[in-house]
Amino acid sequence: MSRANLSRYAKLDPAHVLDGLFVPTSKKGEALYDVCGKVNGGEISFKGVQLSSAHQSVLLAIAARTGRQGAKANGLIVAGTENDLLAQQLFLLEPTGKAKEQEFSQVECAAYALLRDAGMDTGSADYRRLRELLHEMATVVMYRGVKGAGGTSRLLSYQHHVDHFIVSLNWRMADAIFGGQNIQVSLHERLALSESPVAKILHTWLSAYIRPGSHLMAGRGADIDSLVSHVWGKRPCSDAVNRQRRGRIRDALDSVGKLRGWAVRLDGPRVYVSRPRLMERASDPTPGELLEMRVQVEQLWAAAWDCEPECDAMPDSL
């Protein structure tokens, strides 16, 4: 796979930005509500537990890691037979119909790398939370139907040994990562929004519907209420809750507008947004790699100065 298909941005399949698949926060035991739509002339729907911005962060981290490792491995891992040990994990995705004929992806990495790319801490509780988030995403089933024929696949499957994870993504995500139609989401920008799950969901939706260097709805903008539905989905709520959400959308827009290159303007209930034209180079490290580099430099400085890694001699940034 050529490096032209790789970018510093995590790549997602457009169907994985359907309204309501990921919401800012979710309640334990809550199910997805009417997550469906038309994509590329076919029907797409998802069933399973309600996913949150934390799930989306982990999925983006997996997508980014899959893209880099897949390029080094020269492509996708193709589902084989049930007797093929390398393909057994892919059968945990439980593909049916045409999905059985498609290629799926597989990535191997440390939990630490996924946690850092997802903007999470790396304590023991965070490792347990990562397993929970992956487990919950593994229960979500996607249906794809075209012209009377269809099939299903789980969103992802995974296994781990201590802190070493192997994760497989469904065929639509794999195709998006390795050259098919995709949207690109900057992990650096998302990490800058770490304090706001609403801003994270909104930023991903805006990244999906505004091409780099372009404007929302070709400059026509969108209503605040439309953005509310894109962030929280179709689940009914009271007028009071909806008013609160409008305020949270405005706060999230303010956060997105502070990102380098993004421009946001509100005119009453109307919102106008533009996205930066230039992307970071494909060779730029991921947030997780940046942290690993910093840890290595800290260790070198500590050894050189015979002091603790937190000492004042350590430079502020790489």
Side-chain angles (χ1 to χ4, degrees):
M1 191 63 57
S2 69
R3 289 186 63 83
N5 287 329
L6 301 176
S7 79
R8 177 58 193 81
Y9 286 52
K11 295 182 177 181
L12 290 181
D13 165 54
H16 290 70
V17 194
L18 282 175
D19 295 353
L21 178 59
F22 299 97
V23 298
T25 57
S26 59
K27 299 176 182 177
K28 188 174 181 61
E30 189 174 50
L32 291 169
Y33 183 88
D34 195 18
V35 180
C36 60
K38 298 289 185 180
V39 180
N40 299 132
E43 176 188 352
I44 292 278
S45 63
F46 291 86
K47 301 290 185 183
V49 299
Q50 177 64 67
L51 303 179
S52 68
S53 63
H55 295 93
Q56 189 180 64
S57 293
V58 172
L59 183 63
L60 285 165
I62 295 167
R65 293 277 168 182
T66 300
R68 290 191 305 279
Q69 289 193 17
K72 296 175 183 178
N74 195 30
L76 302 177
I77 294 178
V78 181
T81 67
E82 294 184 15
N83 295 322
D84 181 356
L85 295 178
L86 292 177
Q88 281 187 1
Q89 172 155 322
L90 302 180
F91 281 89
L92 298 177
L93 289 167
E94 299 181 353
T96 67
K98 289 290 185 180
K100 281 187 173 181
E101 304 171 11
Q102 305 301 315
E103 294 177 324
F104 299 82
S105 66
Q106 187 167 288
V107 65
E108 298 184 32
C109 59
Y112 176 85
L114 289 178
L115 287 167
R116 297 313 306 178
D117 281 356
M120 299 171 65
D121 292 329
T122 56
S124 59
D126 302 290
Y127 280 72
R128 291 193 296 272
R129 178 61 175 150
L130 175 62
R131 293 197 301 269
E132 291 174 359
L133 293 170
L134 288 167
H135 189 179
E136 288 162 356
M137 282 194 283
T139 69
V140 174
V141 176
M142 175 181 64
Y143 168 81
R144 167 69 169 171
V146 181
K147 296 180 180 179
T152 62
S153 171
R154 292 191 179 275
L155 177 61
L156 59 77
S157 67
Y158 81 99
Q159 57 182 296
H160 74 95
H161 179 68
V162 190
D163 64 346
H164 182 76
F165 282 74
I166 302 176
V167 187
S168 293
L169 295 173
N170 65 75
W171 86 96
R172 287 192 61 92
M173 279 292 297
D175 181 65
I177 292 169
F178 292 104
Q181 182 182 11
N182 63 78
I183 66 170
Q184 300 182 346
V185 182
S186 168
L187 296 184
H188 278 309
E189 290 176 351
R190 187 178 180 89
L191 286 175
L193 302 170
S194 61
E195 299 301 317
S196 173
V198 176
K200 290 182 190 178
I201 300 293
L202 179 61
H203 171 262
T204 298
W205 186 89
L206 292 172
S207 297
Y209 286 91
I210 307 176
R211 292 180 179 276
S214 299
H215 304 266
L216 180 60
M217 295 296 292
R220 298 189 301 275
D223 288 332
I224 288 282
D225 284 345
S226 294
L227 297 183
V228 168
S229 65
H230 294 317
V231 169
W232 279 278
K234 305 171 187 175
R235 195 185 304 275
C237 68
S238 67
D239 291 341
V241 169
N242 213 39
R243 285 194 296 272
Q244 292 175 354
R245 289 177 176 178
R246 291 190 193 106
R248 296 179 69 186
I249 286 290
R250 287 188 171 88
D251 292 341
L253 286 166
D254 182 63
S255 297
V256 171
K258 292 177 181 176
L259 297 173
R260 181 181 178 183
W262 284 82
V264 176
R265 179 172 65 88
L266 279 73
D267 185 2
R270 202 74 181 165
V271 180
Y272 300 88
V273 184
S274 64
R275 185 181 176 190
R277 180 178 298 277
L278 297 177
M279 297 183 186
E280 297 161 79
R281 297 187 304 275
S283 59
D284 285 349
T286 66
E289 290 169 336
L290 284 172
L291 186 89
E292 291 168 4
M293 291 165 58
R294 181 177 177 83
V295 169
Q296 291 172 1
V297 173
E298 287 177 347
Q299 293 172 345
L300 289 173
W301 273 81
W305 291 90
D306 192 26
C307 62
E308 294 299 321
E310 297 81 8
C311 70
D312 293 337
M314 179 62 206
D316 292 334
S317 61
L318 294 174

